[in-house]
Amino acid sequence: MSPRVPRFGEATSVISPPPKANSNAERSIADTMNSNDAKRRERVKASFLDVYVIFEFTRNYDKFEESAASTAGSGSGNGKRDDDDGLKVDGADVREALFNGDTTFMLMGATGLAILLNLLLLFFIRKFPGLVIRSGPVLGVFLCLAAAGGLIYLQAWVTAAVLAVTGILLGASLWFMRHKFRLARDLLDTANKGAKKHHSVFWTVLIGLFVEGVISLWNLFTFVAVYLKFAPGRDACQEVGSCSLGLLITLFIFVLLTYLWVSSVVGNVIILTLAGGPYSTWWDGTDTKEKSESWAAFKKATSTSLGSVAFGSLLVGLVETLAYIIKSISLELCGSGLFTCCCFCFINAIEGLLELFNKYVYVKIGVDKFEHGFIPSAKAIVKLVKKRKNKDEMPLGVNAMITDCIVGFSLHTTCIACAIICTALTYVYTIIIDGTAKVDDWWDWVVLVYAFILVLNIGLVLTSALDAGVSTILFCLDKTPENLAKRNEQFYKALSTEESYKNYRGLLNKDDLPGEA
């Protein structure tokens, strides 16, 4: 029997102490631990190798295809290739091609262009609010119809039909609501005045974006870790001892619900901070330069009203998780047919209404100086929705909220247009003006998608500060309408005297306004 070779880290027989009675058991335990460590190292290596192989396959698909064709044409029975050069990929060359000076400049240029365009967009919104309100809905209809045309070209008939019908209905509804555009413009102009007075509203939403980004990244790692640990058939599953598909699905639902809950809490804290801080104090005239209104409101939102934030966020998270499960089941059972599209539209509408109601509840809490909880504020929202001056007219609360939705829709479509412009400029530079920045088609598309998503996210974050301001102005009008004369005198005069504002004078809570007779 050959002597056992000492393992790394083990003492040799020359310096080892005399064997004890349990030396065989200790040696068995040590061998098992070393074997488990070796298996873990092999799994890590295999995971990195899998990622590298998938990446290289997407990068060099043509070479793989040509090599496979040549192998099939050779007819060799041993299954070996005569030439392996088609599959050889130098990792250093790949990294040099992807991350050289040209591609780095291209990414930095796309980032700089994104920031510049969003700053110009913010200036445009604040300088020309009326043009934004009127052009935004038209742009939204155009995007729906353009997307429908693209899907027709791709022969996705059902989705194209749904988008076309959506665009037509959206255009018709906006045409019938065109008389609300002026009120939307004046509300946006009033919110702009408040944001100009307190630039901290933009820093608040940017910090919130960073926090939500970190939470999303953490959730992604958690999702992957749950799969690697509890998925049936994985090596790690044997160490856990109890793995099943039902357990994996349950954990996935828990991770998704937790992420939606925490993300919703962050978003609602931002809304509370904006509504209860800069905007409402500016409206009441109680803001001072000695202290930060945003910081004071943030401390109240994360202490006094944290229970209300957590409760409302949990309701939204449960509904969104349930909606995700229903969408997944309908997609699995019915495919991408007409029923699935209708189901998705219905669920998205319910989600949108719930999120809008939840947003108004937190704006109401902020406007009331954090004195009320979720349930009393929700009852106040219902009362405001039912508020009307004449029985034959639409409720004032519904009118005002529709106008608020028009503002939000216009801001969102303007951000999409800005993202499309940035993507087009990036494409023109990388493909037409400077051909040296071109690596390959796949990588160029990644850069374009990066530019589009970056511009869209920054634009939505910046404009969300103004969107929250418009909602806050509506509730401030309901609470203390007399302050409008101090904050936007031109809007107050128009709302009090002009005939086009006759249906909205109830927002001022006055029965004897000029022109009412």
Side-chain angles (χ1 to χ4, degrees):
M1 182 177 180
S2 59
R4 188 176 71 86
V5 179
R7 297 180 181 274
F8 179 78
E10 291 183 353
T12 61
S13 59
V14 178
I15 61 175
S16 61
K20 298 181 181 180
N22 59 347
S23 59
N24 291 334
E26 291 178 352
R27 187 179 299 112
S28 176
I29 293 174
D31 292 341
T32 303
M33 294 176 63
N34 291 332
S35 177
N36 291 336
D37 291 339
K39 288 181 180 180
R40 290 191 186 97
R41 287 194 296 270
E42 291 299 327
R43 285 198 297 268
V44 172
K45 292 178 181 178
S47 299
F48 281 109
L49 182 61
D50 291 342
V51 175
Y52 178 75
V53 168
I54 293 173
F55 173 73
E56 294 299 343
F57 182 78
T58 57
R59 283 272 301 140
N60 300 274
Y61 177 77
D62 295 335
K63 294 182 179 180
F64 279 94
E65 191 176 24
E66 293 173 2
S67 179
S70 63
T71 303
S74 62
S76 56
N78 55 6
K80 296 181 179 179
R81 295 179 298 271
D82 296 332
D83 185 11
D84 292 337
D85 293 339
L87 287 175
K88 289 182 180 179
V89 180
D90 190 353
D93 294 340
V94 172
R95 288 191 296 271
E96 183 179 357
L98 287 177
F99 301 106
N100 56 16
D102 291 331
T103 53
T104 303
F105 173 76
M106 187 164 53
L107 290 174
M108 293 178 61
T111 304
L113 182 62
I115 297 174
L116 177 61
L117 285 178
N118 276 293
L119 292 177
L120 292 175
L121 173 65
L122 187 61
F123 172 79
F124 184 79
I125 291 174
R126 298 178 65 177
K127 195 69 175 177
F128 307 102
L131 182 60
V132 172
I133 293 299
R134 295 186 180 276
S135 62
V138 176
L139 182 61
V141 175
F142 174 77
L143 289 176
C144 281
L145 297 179
L151 290 172
I152 292 174
Y153 176 77
L154 297 175
Q155 297 183 354
W157 308 112
V158 176
T159 310
V162 172
L163 276 176
V165 173
T166 302
I168 295 173
L169 292 178
L170 181 62
S173 60
L174 291 173
W175 172 259
F176 287 112
M177 292 188 297
R178 64 188 185 277
H179 59 279
K180 301 180 184 296
F181 286 177
R182 185 177 179 185
L183 176 63
R185 181 203 66 184
D186 290 335
L187 287 172
L188 180 58
D189 181 53
T190 307
N192 279 330
K193 294 180 182 297
K196 184 178 180 180
K197 187 71 174 180
H198 295 277
H199 292 93
S200 60
V201 297
F202 300 108
W203 289 111
T204 302
V205 294
L206 287 175
I207 294 173
L209 173 66
F210 175 76
V211 173
E212 289 194 355
V214 172
I215 293 173
S216 300
L217 188 62
W218 180 266
N219 181 77
L220 176 62
F221 282 111
T222 305
F223 203 86
V224 174
V226 168
Y227 174 77
L228 294 178
K229 191 69 175 178
F230 296 97
R234 306 285 303 183
D235 294 336
C237 182
Q238 299 177 1
E239 300 176 2
V240 177
S242 59
C243 294
S244 63
L245 184 60
L247 176 62
L248 183 65
I249 295 176
T250 303
L251 291 175
F252 277 165
I253 294 175
F254 176 77
V255 172
L256 178 63
L257 176 60
T258 304
Y259 166 69
L260 293 175
W261 185 21
V262 176
S263 179
S264 182
V265 167
V266 175
N268 291 331
V269 167
I270 294 173
I271 293 175
L272 264 176
T273 302
L274 295 176
Y279 284 115
S280 61
T281 55
W282 169 79
W283 179 268
D284 295 333
T286 58
D287 53 335
T288 60
K289 296 182 178 180
E290 285 73 19
K291 66 175 183 178
S292 173
E293 304 296 342
S294 296
W295 176 245
F298 174 76
K299 290 190 291 185
K300 292 183 180 179
T302 54
S303 57
T304 306
S305 300
L306 187 59
S308 298
V309 172
F311 178 72
S313 301
L314 181 60
L315 293 179
V316 175
L318 288 172
V319 172
E320 289 183 345
T321 303
L322 181 62
Y324 177 79
I325 295 173
I326 295 175
K327 289 179 182 179
S328 301
I329 293 175
S330 63
L331 190 62
E332 182 70 22
L333 297 179
C334 305
S336 57
L338 181 60
F339 175 79
T340 303
C341 290
C342 295
C343 180
F344 276 33
C345 292
F346 177 75
I347 293 175
N348 289 335
I350 297 297
E351 283 186 276
L353 290 175
L354 178 62
E355 292 176 358
L356 184 64
F357 180 80
N358 200 55
K359 168 189 170 184
Y360 287 149
V361 169
Y362 291 116
V363 170
K364 181 64 175 175
I365 293 176
V367 170
D368 291 339
K369 307 302 180 185
F370 305 93
E371 295 177 355
H372 304 293
F374 187 89
I375 301 299
S377 299
K379 293 180 179 179
I381 297 299
V382 175
K383 183 179 179 181
L384 177 62
V385 170
K386 295 180 179 180
K387 179 181 178 181
R388 67 174 73 207
K389 189 172 182 180
N390 297 320
K391 294 183 178 180
D392 298 334
E393 297 178 354
M394 181 182 295
L396 291 171
V398 175
N399 255 328
M401 291 177 183
I402 290 176
T403 307
D404 183 29
C405 292
I406 291 176
V407 174
F409 180 75
S410 300
L411 293 176
H412 291 172
T413 51
T414 307
C415 292
I416 295 175
C418 184
I420 293 175
I421 292 174
C422 180
T423 306
L425 292 176
T426 305
Y427 176 82
V428 169
Y429 177 80
T430 57
I431 306 301
I432 299 177
I433 297 178
D434 187 6
T436 60
K438 180 179 175 61
V439 179
D440 60 16
D441 293 336
W442 183 85
W443 181 250
D444 292 333
W445 275 107
V446 171
V447 175
L448 295 179
V449 172
Y450 165 79
F452 181 85
I453 294 177
L454 181 65
V455 177
L456 183 61
N457 281 338
I458 295 177
L460 290 176
V461 168
L462 290 177
T463 55
S464 66
L466 298 177
D467 191 18
V470 171
S471 302
T472 306
I473 297 302
L474 284 174
F475 286 95
C476 288
L477 265 175
D478 180 67
K479 184 180 180 181
T480 53
E482 62 276 5
N483 290 341
L484 179 61
K486 304 175 184 177
R487 300 306 165 203
N488 195 338
E489 185 178 359
Q490 184 178 0
F491 181 25
Y492 180 81
K493 290 181 179 179
L495 190 60
S496 302
T497 59
E498 293 189 11
E499 185 67 21
S500 58
Y501 274 124
K502 182 178 180 180
N503 295 330
Y504 304 104
R505 287 176 191 163
L507 294 173
L508 296 177
N509 292 326
K510 292 184 177 182
D511 297 327
D512 54 348
L513 290 172
E516 279 295 305

